[in-house]
Amino acid sequence: MEVSKALGSRLFMTNAVETRDEHDEKYDKCYQMVQSLTSGVSEKEAHDALNNSMSKGPQAHDDISQGLLVWVLSDPASANKIYRDLTLVTRDGFSAVIAQMQFLIMEKYTKLLESAKQQLVWLIREMIRNSVNGTDALCWNLMRQIVGGDVSPKNIWLAESLLDIYVENRSWLEKHPFLVASAVYSYLRITEDHLAPPYHALRQKETAFVVSLLRERFADCMMIGRDLVRLLQHVSKIPEIEAVWRDLLHNPTVFLPTFGGLLQLMQSRTSRRFLQCRLTPDMEKKIVFLTSQIRFGMQKRYQEWFQRQYLSTSESQSLRCDLIRFIVGVIHPSNELLSSDIIPRWAVIGWLLTTCTAQVAIANAKLALFYDWLFYDAEKDNIMNIEPAVLVMHFSLRPHPAITATLLDFMCRVIPTFYPPLTDRVGQGMFTALRQIIKMRVLPSLSPLFQNAKLDKDLRKMLRDRFTEFCTDVVVKSDEYHDMPGAEPMQTGHDLVMPKSPPADEAAFSDEEDEVVAMPVKTEQAAPEPAEPVAAPPGPAGDESPQAAEPQSPPCGEEFAEALELLGPPLREQLTRLRTETDLELQCGAVERLCVAACEYELPEEELNALALCLSTLCSKTLNSNIYPPEEDNHDESLEDSISQPLFVVMRCLCDAPEEDPTRQTLVCLLAEMSCRASRLPYLLLHYINVRIAKEEKETKAKWFGVYKELCHARDTNRELSACVVEDLKTCQEEEQSLFIWLVPSLFTHLSTACVGNVELMNMIVSSLDSSQLLQLLSHIVQADLVMFRKDSFMKVLNASLEWETFEQYCLWQLVEAHELTIDYILPLLTRIQSREHAEAVSCVMLMLKREEPCMELVKPLLQRTAEQPHDVFVASVLKYWSTEYEEQTAQLIANLINRTSLTPSKRRRNSPRANLPTTEQILGHLDQMRTALRTASFWSIDEVQTALSVAQSGSNEAQRKRFADLFALIEVEEEARTRRGRKAAARGRATTKSIQKTETDSDDTTEDEEVIKKPAKRRRRNNQLNSDSD
């Protein structure tokens, strides 16, 4: 809060990276407006002032309403008085206030200060007491901000505060049936998170509230549909809920005389709005973005972000059910999206299943996935609700057979166990769903799935007994199954093969539903890779999951044995020890002795290749796994541990060897040969060096990075170092993105010739950054530990960046800003960037120009841009700012340019370069745009501007005079004003004219331009054209 106040935000948390946005500035402006109207006057005068301002028009009314809202949210002490004033002066029944509160809840809630959140809840309570229309929508949206699977104090406070509002205003709540049903759905769901003893009091309040609504307002609650039964099952062990559950099963008429019991609820599909209300707006945006914008195979970084943000705690296990139900029931992609390479729903659900670790959460997640199957009706239900489950089983059969097995087992067992009296109806629903899958060609046949050889024999028998209609007597082998059309493997964030896009005729699902989820705008966001696969039930002997533990010794085939035979006894002995030893320290000792033995004599090429093959095989675990420690463990000890493997002993021997030692070349060639077999090795060497140099002297650091240069040269003598760096870091970026960003500062410091100005490398960096990594790089730059740009190569990077993605460009400009480069670095860019094509660069350059004082070097290239009315507001905005802050200086610069470009050829100095000057039409075009933006008359009344416009008008053709008629009209108005100002102003105007006449004789040199601006010349030539007072 202190940081936010220091930066001037009244409502939002801000810091050095996330500064105030346009909404915050608008709120502050409205607040200041209200303050100016009410400060220092009596209460009656304040009311009169507010009423008068509101009567000026709709915009003024909205501004005053927003200002009062900000006051209520930011000043608890005055909140009662300000709310009373708001109720007295509002003229739209709080519509403007409610609209802004909806925006704050949906878009800005997570950034609100805690005091503002408390005031927001207080204001909603007061509006309910005053029966303000639209408050029920505020409550529904605020209820969405209660995060499932989150027991943090802030989340508990919000859940309890809203619950208190509902209990206190029960009669108001019962007037809104949909809000009643939503409250029951939400609090039934979050009660599951509050079963632990510390939340006993809250759980009791939630249970009493939900049970009372179920028993007294069951007609409203019935609209929830079948998911009401699912949520009741999750908390059925609570005594009060258990009583409701028993009545629901055995005495349904106690709720409603016409209620038909469990079957009636299960046959009613749950509305999308209930499934949506258990995800926060931010979660919904991220999931919709993931399933509509991200290409299949590129989702890993987004999943990692999502898991860090929402699924990292043990309590968050229950949130996966909400996500699965949302994906199944709400996200229904179009046929176009289904046939594209965007990540399909089944892949996201597969990832969620593989991240479940608690057995209860796994069971609930499977039930959430298959819930619409149980009582499926082809006439009422949608094929899109059952498609993800069968595709998860289909695509995970080869890479994750345990997932397929556990889901198929669940399908068989859920029929008799869900509710025994309705076993036949559940079986009928399952069969109807499977027939619909075949009919709509989601899969061409179910027999290859049900009768696959990878499944346990008992499971296949169970499937054949339960689903005889869809099975044959032929057992399908795994390789035969995956040769069938559409049988590509599943990818859930692990390193698996990406499937082809499904054929359009196989993905022709319906687009008929009207509850379509809106596609989100661009955002940077992200979610997690599964940490562990879902726990599978005990399977038969020999049916092992692909996730089984690796053997302790690497698999060594015939090639390894042949290579071992080529080596001499000393090398063979150490390799054998390395292979058989299990103690890490003894393995490292064997590698060290191996390096000493290899350096004792010059190895022939054949033996060197054999040794590289053996070492690559024995160190394959290190070469094929991630070594960078997690962020929470990223300290010196963890980094040291990451280079404790035997592979790094070879690197240590090479780095420690004296440069003049000729035997070190053997180790260089050995690593070069190993890098041909393992592409990770070069960046692992960089990681090793980066860990070791932390406490070394500058000379030692240079020497160790020289080892990497030697390795690059040994790999390809004709290849430039920069190309090797890009290739190695590209591999690092793809395999270990966090390690890649961690290496950047040291690489730009010690390999600056290869990194600084390297366009491809810079693009890789900005495309990999998230907000925390960007902050990390900015910190290095601010501390002067990192320099990423040089003037000679800076424009090459900027020009290339114009084609990059929006987020990548903004990251680049953040890095540029941190370097505090002078404006002359970007001058060549001013005439190239266009507002429509290069909005990111234009906006950042505009902010840089705002910090500069106007001078001829800046004004000239600005005015050389083509005025693209109404799209190009770049030049007009900069000129308007300069004319406000540096009025006289800007006027003189523009007037000077107009007079110079308006000279006739006979009066222009010979050999005067004109190519670097803007044309008169360009200048007038920008001034015309500036005229519409700059409403104040003070700038246009400056004598230099008036005289320059007169010169421009006299030198313009008929078309130009017609085009810029509104601009030239300012001359007449200001001519009359000058006449009224009297003789003194006229004398000052003549003095200015004399100064401008002198500038015509000056050369086009920039230095002379500035001399004309700073000091009027004493000598002049007479110019009758400029002495004329006419237009």
Side-chain angles (χ1 to χ4, degrees):
M1 185 172 178
E2 293 176 359
V3 174
S4 299
K5 292 296 183 183
L7 296 176
S9 177
R10 301 179 185 279
L11 300 180
F12 305 110
M13 293 181 288
T14 56
N15 52 46
V17 175
E18 296 183 5
T19 56
R20 300 177 63 187
D21 60 12
E22 57 182 2
H23 299 289
D24 194 8
E25 292 176 354
K26 181 183 178 183
Y27 289 145
D28 191 63
K29 180 180 177 182
C30 295
Y31 174 80
Q32 296 294 346
M33 180 192 302
V34 171
Q35 285 286 318
S36 65
L37 292 173
T38 58
S39 60
V41 298
S42 67
E43 190 170 336
K44 183 179 183 305
E45 291 172 334
H47 286 168
D48 292 340
L50 291 173
N51 276 311
N52 291 335
S53 296
M54 280 191 159
S55 63
K56 293 180 181 179
Q59 186 60 49
H61 179 278
D62 291 350
D63 289 345
I64 297 296
S65 299
Q66 289 181 34
L68 291 170
L69 173 62
V70 173
W71 198 346
V72 170
L73 297 182
S74 60
D75 188 359
S78 306
N80 279 303
K81 174 182 175 299
I82 305 307
Y83 176 70
R84 187 180 69 249
D85 294 344
L86 180 60
T87 57
L88 291 174
V89 300
T90 186
R91 301 184 176 194
D92 61 353
F94 278 83
S95 295
V97 173
I98 288 177
Q100 287 304 313
M101 292 174 71
Q102 291 279 33
F103 174 76
L104 290 173
I105 292 171
M106 294 293 290
E107 303 293 337
K108 298 290 187 180
Y109 183 81
T110 56
K111 295 184 178 180
L112 282 175
L113 296 169
E114 290 305 310
S115 59
K117 291 179 182 178
Q118 294 170 5
Q119 285 303 109
L120 186 65
V121 173
W122 175 87
L123 181 57
I124 290 176
R125 179 183 279 108
E126 294 300 313
M127 293 169 70
I128 290 174
R129 289 174 178 170
N130 290 286
S131 301
V132 176
N133 289 331
T135 317
D136 56 319
L138 291 177
C139 290
W140 192 83
N141 285 319
L142 187 58
M143 197 157 51
R144 290 188 64 189
Q145 295 291 352
I146 304 174
V147 183
D150 183 358
V151 291
S152 63
K154 295 177 183 178
N155 201 54
I156 294 292
W157 168 82
L158 179 59
E160 192 164 13
S161 298
L162 268 177
L163 181 60
D164 291 340
I165 289 176
Y166 292 150
V167 172
E168 292 168 8
N169 301 276
R170 177 67 177 265
S171 59
W172 169 86
L173 175 64
E174 292 178 354
K175 295 176 183 177
H176 302 89
F178 182 73
L179 185 59
V180 169
S182 299
V184 169
Y185 187 89
S186 295
Y187 279 95
L188 263 180
R189 164 62 190 88
I190 63 176
T191 299
E192 180 185 356
D193 301 328
H194 303 153
L195 298 178
Y199 316 110
H200 175 77
L202 175 59
R203 184 177 70 248
Q204 288 297 104
K205 290 171 64 176
E206 291 170 338
T207 303
F209 171 71
V210 169
V211 168
S212 66
L213 285 178
L214 283 172
R215 293 197 177 277
E216 298 171 21
R217 307 292 300 181
F218 192 76
D220 296 336
C221 299
M222 279 182 64
M223 72 172 72
I224 297 174
R226 61 177 63 128
D227 275 81
L228 175 61
V229 179
R230 182 178 63 85
L231 295 179
L232 284 170
Q233 283 179 294
H234 290 182
V235 292
S236 59
K237 296 296 179 64
I238 300 175
E240 296 86 347
I241 301 293
E242 187 179 5
V244 172
W245 184 247
R246 281 198 304 268
D247 287 341
L248 185 68
L249 296 179
H250 306 299
N251 191 19
T253 54
V254 73
F255 296 103
L256 208 64
T258 57
F259 177 49
L262 181 69
L263 180 60
Q264 183 178 345
L265 276 177
M266 292 303 298
Q267 289 176 330
S268 175
R269 206 178 87 193
T270 300
S271 168
R272 293 180 172 193
R273 293 200 67 189
F274 292 110
L275 302 177
Q276 181 188 27
C277 79
R278 284 321 316 132
L279 265 64
T280 67
D282 188 58
M283 279 187 209
E284 180 184 1
K285 286 180 183 178
K286 299 300 188 298
I287 291 294
V288 173
F289 176 75
L290 184 63
T291 54
S292 63
Q293 303 290 326
I294 304 304
R295 293 178 59 193
F296 196 18
M298 307 298 291
Q299 72 271 20
K300 182 177 178 181
R301 60 182 295 204
Y302 300 94
Q303 291 175 339
E304 288 174 348
W305 183 93
F306 196 93
Q307 181 151 346
R308 287 197 305 269
Q309 190 76 6
Y310 300 113
L311 302 173
S312 58
T313 63
S314 59
E315 294 83 3
S316 64
Q317 295 280 335
S318 61
L319 179 60
R320 287 163 174 80
C321 294
D322 300 332
L323 293 169
I324 290 173
R325 291 300 295 153
F326 177 81
I327 294 169
V328 167
V330 179
I331 297 181
H332 289 178
S334 63
N335 287 335
E336 181 182 3
L337 202 61
L338 285 168
S339 60
S340 70
D341 60 353
I342 299 299
I343 178 173
R345 296 185 299 162
W346 61 261
V348 181
I349 291 173
W351 157 63
L352 290 171
L353 288 174
T354 59
T355 59
C356 282
T357 55
Q359 291 300 317
V360 173
I362 293 170
N364 290 341
K366 288 187 285 187
L367 182 63
L369 179 59
F370 282 100
Y371 209 63
D372 293 304
W373 291 54
L374 303 181
F375 292 83
Y376 185 80
D377 184 346
E379 298 298 324
K380 298 178 182 178
D381 289 299
N382 193 326
I383 182 67
M384 300 298 280
N385 290 4
I386 61 175
E387 173 242 21
V390 73
L391 291 183
V392 169
M393 295 186 290
H394 171 78
F395 285 114
S396 60
L397 185 56
R398 182 166 65 180
H400 297 290
I403 294 179
T404 302
T406 190
L407 293 178
L408 289 172
D409 181 78
F410 178 84
M411 279 182 61
C412 294
R413 298 182 188 279
V414 74
I415 295 175
T417 58
F418 179 74
Y419 183 49
L422 294 179
T423 296
D424 292 340
R425 299 301 298 266
V426 175
Q428 180 183 339
M430 297 289 281
F431 271 80
T432 304
L434 292 172
R435 292 188 189 106
Q436 191 74 358
I437 285 168
I438 300 298
K439 179 181 176 182
M440 300 301 294
R441 300 190 65 190
V442 178
L443 290 180
S445 173
L446 292 171
S447 180
L449 176 62
F450 288 170
Q451 296 300 107
N452 196 276
K454 277 207 168 187
L455 301 177
D456 169 44
K457 183 179 179 180
D458 293 338
L459 178 57
R460 291 202 305 269
K461 183 178 183 302
M462 189 192 307
L463 288 165
R464 188 163 53 249
D465 294 342
R466 182 69 65 183
F467 303 109
T468 307
E469 176 184 336
F470 306 103
C471 297
T472 65
D473 294 332
V474 180
V475 177
V476 181
K477 295 181 181 179
S478 179
D479 53 353
E480 292 176 358
Y481 172 64
H482 288 287
D483 287 338
M484 295 180 179
E488 295 85 359
M490 168 186 176
Q491 179 165 341
T492 61
H494 300 288
D495 298 329
L496 303 174
V497 181
M498 176 179 167
K500 303 173 184 176
S501 299
D505 59 344
E506 291 191 18
F509 303 123
S510 66
D511 295 318
E512 79 276 1
E513 293 203 342
D514 54 357
E515 297 177 319
V516 178
V517 178
M519 293 296 105
V521 295
K522 279 187 181 181
T523 79
E524 293 300 334
Q525 292 347 331
E529 175 186 338
E532 297 178 359
V534 62
D543 186 18
E544 296 181 357
S545 167
Q547 304 293 329
E550 297 181 3
Q552 290 187 353
S553 59
C556 303
E558 293 182 4
E559 189 180 11
F560 177 85
E562 292 173 0
L564 195 61
E565 288 299 321
L566 293 174
L567 299 173
L571 299 178
R572 196 183 311 140
E573 178 186 356
Q574 300 307 325
L575 286 171
T576 304
R577 287 186 180 179
L578 175 60
R579 180 184 177 186
T580 56
E581 287 288 354
T582 57
D583 184 75
L584 183 61
E585 188 174 346
L586 295 178
Q587 288 179 338
C588 292
V591 174
E592 186 170 7
R593 290 189 293 272
L594 178 72
C595 293
V596 173
C599 292
E600 286 181 353
Y601 61 97
E602 186 175 347
L603 289 176
E605 183 177 354
E606 186 179 14
E607 289 190 37
L608 188 67
N609 293 343
L611 179 58
L613 187 150
C614 293
L615 266 180
S616 300
T617 304
L618 297 176
C619 298
S620 59
K621 184 176 180 181
T622 305
L623 290 170
N624 293 313
S625 59
N626 294 345
I627 61 165
Y628 191 69
E631 292 183 8
E632 58 269 17
D633 298 331
N634 188 12
H635 45 73
D636 294 342
E637 186 177 347
S638 298
L639 289 172
E640 287 290 343
D641 290 343
S642 70
I643 59 171
S644 62
Q645 298 298 319
L647 174 66
F648 296 102
V649 176
V650 183
M651 301 175 185
R652 186 186 70 200
C653 293
L654 176 58
C655 291
D656 291 343
E659 293 183 356
E660 61 276 6
D661 186 354
T663 60
R664 70 196 306 270
Q665 191 61 32
T666 301
L667 296 180
V668 173
C669 295
L670 175 62
L671 288 178
E673 187 61 32
M674 290 177 65
S675 68
C676 297
R677 302 173 181 277
S679 58
R680 289 180 178 231
L681 188 140
Y683 82 71
L684 293 180
L685 174 61
L686 288 173
H687 170 66
Y688 172 80
I689 294 172
N690 211 34
V691 174
R692 289 286 305 275
I693 66 171
K695 300 177 182 179
E696 299 292 339
E697 299 295 332
K698 184 175 181 181
E699 294 77 11
T700 306
K701 295 178 181 179
K703 171 197 166 185
W704 283 3
F705 274 96
V707 171
Y708 173 75
K709 295 179 183 178
E710 289 182 67
L711 176 62
C712 293
H713 183 74
R715 288 157 61 195
D716 190 342
T717 56
N718 298 321
R719 199 170 189 190
E720 293 185 359
L721 177 62
S722 58
C724 292
V725 170
V726 168
E727 179 185 356
D728 297 338
L729 293 184
K730 188 172 184 62
T731 304
C732 184
Q733 179 205 25
E734 294 170 354
E735 302 292 345
E736 296 189 70
Q737 191 169 296
S738 298
L739 173 58
F740 168 61
I741 298 300
W742 184 68
L743 289 174
V744 165
S746 60
L747 292 177
F748 272 80
T749 302
H750 302 289
L751 298 176
S752 58
T753 54
C755 296
V756 177
N758 192 320
V759 173
E760 189 175 354
L761 177 58
M762 186 58 66
N763 185 224
M764 286 163 50
I765 293 171
V766 296
S767 66
S768 304
L769 291 174
D770 59 24
S771 57
S772 61
Q773 291 168 338
L774 176 60
L775 177 60
Q776 194 177 359
L777 290 185
L778 292 175
S779 302
H780 283 289
I781 295 171
V782 170
Q783 296 172 31
D785 295 334
L786 174 60
V787 176
M788 303 181 75
F789 304 109
R790 277 199 307 258
K791 189 169 185 178
D792 57 348
S793 57
F794 183 63
M795 278 310 301
K796 181 173 67 172
V797 175
L798 280 192
N799 287 330
S801 72
L802 298 179
E803 306 299 324
W804 296 351
E805 295 292 334
T806 296
F807 181 73
E808 296 170 1
Q809 291 194 51
Y810 278 125
C811 285
L812 175 67
W813 282 102
Q814 287 272 350
L815 297 173
V816 171
E817 288 285 313
H819 281 78
E820 297 184 343
L821 302 177
T822 56
I823 196 67
D824 57 307
Y825 273 67
I826 65 162
L827 283 180
L829 201 65
L830 289 180
T831 54
R832 181 181 175 190
I833 52 178
Q834 301 299 325
S835 295
R836 282 179 291 184
E837 291 84 0
H838 314 122
E840 300 90 350
V842 169
S843 59
C844 295
V845 172
M846 184 190 302
L847 296 178
M848 293 182 70
L849 289 173
K850 183 183 176 184
R851 295 193 290 269
E852 301 289 329
E853 289 190 22
C855 62
M856 190 60 72
E857 287 83 356
L858 297 180
V859 174
K860 231 191 299 187
L862 269 180
L863 295 180
Q864 283 178 319
R865 294 170 54 84
T866 303
E868 300 179 12
Q869 179 75 12
H871 303 289
D872 190 3
V873 297
F874 173 41
V875 178
S877 301
V878 175
L879 291 179
K880 178 183 177 182
Y881 176 79
W882 281 346
S883 63
T884 304
E885 299 295 322
Y886 312 97
E887 189 176 70
E888 292 289 340
Q889 192 173 344
T890 306
Q892 289 178 351
L893 288 167
I894 294 175
N896 186 20
L897 278 175
I898 291 178
N899 285 293
R900 289 172 59 192
T901 55
S902 299
L903 293 176
T904 60
S906 61
K907 294 183 180 180
R908 206 181 305 123
R909 178 178 293 184
R910 290 182 181 179
N911 300 325
S912 174
R914 220 157 160 240
N916 62 342
L917 288 178
T919 64
T920 303
E921 187 162 355
Q922 286 175 328
I923 299 176
L924 293 177
H926 291 301
L927 288 181
D928 196 40
Q929 287 187 356
M930 181 180 169
R931 173 187 58 80
T932 61
L934 188 62
R935 301 294 182 182
T936 58
S938 60
F939 176 81
W940 304 108
S941 65
I942 297 175
D943 294 324
E944 289 90 337
V945 176
Q946 285 290 302
T947 307
L949 288 176
S950 299
V951 172
Q953 186 183 38
S954 63
S956 301
N957 55 37
E958 191 62 32
Q960 290 174 332
R961 291 186 183 187
K962 185 176 180 180
R963 177 183 173 188
F964 303 115
D966 291 339
L967 181 63
F968 291 142
L970 295 173
I971 302 172
E972 300 173 355
V973 174
E974 298 307 329
E975 192 68 37
E976 295 172 3
R978 278 207 308 281
T979 303
R980 287 195 298 270
R981 283 199 298 271
R983 184 175 300 176
K984 184 175 180 179
R988 187 168 62 252
R990 287 195 298 273
T992 305
T993 303
K994 293 177 183 180
S995 173
I996 294 174
Q997 288 174 338
K998 173 56 181 147
T999 64
E1000 297 171 13
T1001 66
D1002 292 340
S1003 68
D1004 289 11
D1005 186 83
T1006 304
T1007 305
E1008 295 180 10
D1009 292 339
E1010 295 189 351
E1011 288 175 356
V1012 171
I1013 295 170
K1014 296 176 182 176
K1015 181 180 179 181
K1018 296 182 179 180
R1019 298 184 180 183
R1020 64 179 176 83
R1021 289 189 295 161
R1022 182 167 300 279
N1023 188 323
N1024 293 331
Q1025 181 184 2
L1026 296 184
N1027 286 337
S1028 173
D1029 287 335
S1030 68
D1031 292 339

